[in-house]
Amino acid sequence: MLYLTTPSGVKVRAAMAAGLLGWMQTPAQGNILPPGQTWGADNGCFGRGYPGDEGYLSFLSAHGDRARNCLFATAPDVVGDAVKTMTRSLPFLPEIRRRGYPAALVAQNGLEALTVPWDDFDVLFIGGDTEWKLGEHARALTSEACRRGMWVHMGRVNSLKRLRYAQSIGCRSADGTYVAFGPDVNLPKCLEWVRRVNEEAPLWRAA
């Protein structure tokens, strides 16, 4: 299991450089991504960080020399709504791939009722509200993605309990903002979560 977070200070960046954490980059951050860093590209739709369609594609193009180290780039989504997400995401998936990134579809509430275009994306990103994310439909979608050999990532993971859960259903990476809220205290705790989960089942390192 690999845990991605924002580069909140020197100690967090050092942990990322050592391969203990992954780097989550959004268009609104403005951080300079180091060469060779394992990272994920998040569109910023959760919140107010989305720069618009052209802005997001420009962001991906600008980081194109780092695409080979990127686990995924998320297509734009609509939080909690799979129908609207599908409408918004489908045109972007080939554009993301065209720029050299693994394209991620963000799974939202209701995706289980739709025809999932599995061949059109490379990574399943488990989004949705908390109840849906932790429910049977997200588990079933994760299982199907794993059966197809796809990478699965879970967003908004901010506790050891949830990190363990993500790993238990087949996710190979997760992200959260826990470390950003007091890195001096929370970074050691987060690194301990990752260590414990990987000792129990080091899925992502086996890839």
Side-chain angles (χ1 to χ4, degrees), residues 13 18 41 45 51 54-55 61 65 67-68 82 84 87 91 98-99 108 139 144-145 150 160 162 177:
R13 291 170 185 256
C45 288
E54 290 303 319
S61 295
D65 61 329
R68 64 184 177 276
K84 291 181 179 178
T87 299
R98 192 170 294 123
R99 286 162 175 78
Q108 299 286 355
R139 285 198 303 274
E144 177 61 17
M150 298 177 75
L160 173 58
R162 190 165 297 184
T177 57

Side-chain angles (χ1 to χ4, degrees), residues 51-79:
D53 294 350
E54 290 303 319
Y56 184 50
L57 291 176
S58 295
F59 161 79
L60 293 178
S61 295
H63 291 80
D65 61 329
R66 314 294 164 85
R68 64 184 177 276
N69 300 117
C70 190
L71 296 175
F72 56 81
T74 57
D77 59 304
V78 178
V79 178

Side-chain angles (χ1 to χ4, degrees), residues 8-30:
S8 307
V10 174
K11 292 180 180 179
V12 178
R13 291 170 185 256
M16 291 173 169
L20 301 176
L21 295 173
W23 179 306
M24 185 65 91
Q25 183 87 341
T26 67
Q29 280 178 11

